[in-house]
Amino acid sequence: QLQKDLEEVKELLTNTTRKRVRDVLLAEKHKLELEIKNQPLPKPKDVAEEEKSSLGGYTVKINNYGWDQSDKFVKIYISLSGVQKLPAENVQVNFTERSFDLLVKNLNGKNYTMTFNNLLKPISVEGSSRKIKTDMVLVMCKKKREEKWDCLTQVEKESKEKEKAAYDTADPSEGLMNILKKMYAEGDDEMKRTINKAWVESREKQYKGDIPMDI
């Protein structure tokens, strides 16, 4: 629209003979040229469509992963079918000393994210990287110190310590009760029925054992 206005002003300039009108038109021409110059350049349609496509769909949070370690690296394996077909720039990992986040863009119309905060120990940002393999992304966290990690995050460590403290009791039967309670809480219906049956039988035996023989 601005370009059309400019062309019309130029046409009027070629036809006008009056100085005042010419000055007004020149001022308007200069103003229009500035406006056109400051406008953002339109993106080619294919680039715009590609960007829209890469950010389209919805975002899926990745919860499943596997991990192991060597002396120098902690390795996190994330399974993503077909990820090797994506352009390399669609698989991004940002590292900090105690965290990393993964973003995979436009994989089968979806974006995938995974974030790890409060890593158990500090990592080297410069030495860490990611590798794209068949149906998998491998995140390589370079350890700052060559030492064994018991788990991936500080939260996992605290959770394990609390669990251990619950079972490490002076009374062995109390520790067993805690394990049974945990199995019951996390088990399926079959497991719950089995534990209930064992519990009832145990109580019955205990009760019978307490009854005096002469009654």
Side-chain angles (χ1 to χ4, degrees), residues 72-129:
K72 295 182 178 179
F73 287 94
V74 169
K75 306 168 190 177
I76 297 94
Y77 301 88
I78 300 112
S79 295
L80 287 169
S81 182
V83 70
Q84 73 278 6
K85 297 173 187 174
L86 289 177
E89 61 269 20
N90 279 32
V91 181
Q92 302 166 2
V93 182
N94 294 313
F95 296 96
T96 74
E97 194 174 72
R98 293 297 289 267
S99 73
F100 73 83
D101 61 85
L102 165 72
L103 171 62
V104 178
K105 294 193 289 185
N106 196 24
L107 177 59
N108 303 320
K110 300 174 191 173
N111 303 315
Y112 291 83
T113 64
M114 170 180 261
T115 300
F116 271 93
N117 293 315
N118 298 314
L119 290 171
L120 185 66
K121 298 176 189 291
I123 61 172
S124 163
V125 175
E126 299 77 19
S128 298
S129 61

Side-chain angles (χ1 to χ4, degrees), residues 119-153:
L119 290 171
L120 185 66
K121 298 176 189 291
I123 61 172
S124 163
V125 175
E126 299 77 19
S128 298
S129 61
R130 61 101 179 96
K131 292 182 181 178
I132 301 168
K133 298 180 174 288
T134 304
D135 298 333
M136 181 184 290
V137 177
L138 170 59
V139 179
M140 306 272 290
C141 296
K142 175 80 182 291
K143 296 177 179 179
K144 275 213 163 176
R145 290 187 297 276
E146 294 184 15
E147 56 187 324
K148 188 183 176 187
W149 289 26
D150 296 325
C151 45
L152 271 180
T153 65

Side-chain angles (χ1 to χ4, degrees), residues 157-171 174-176 178-179:
K157 183 186 177 187
E158 288 168 7
S159 174
K160 280 186 177 180
E161 284 174 353
K162 281 180 187 171
E163 203 171 279
K164 188 171 183 293
Y167 299 147
D168 287 352
T169 58
D171 183 354
E174 189 180 336
L176 180 62
N178 285 331
I179 292 169

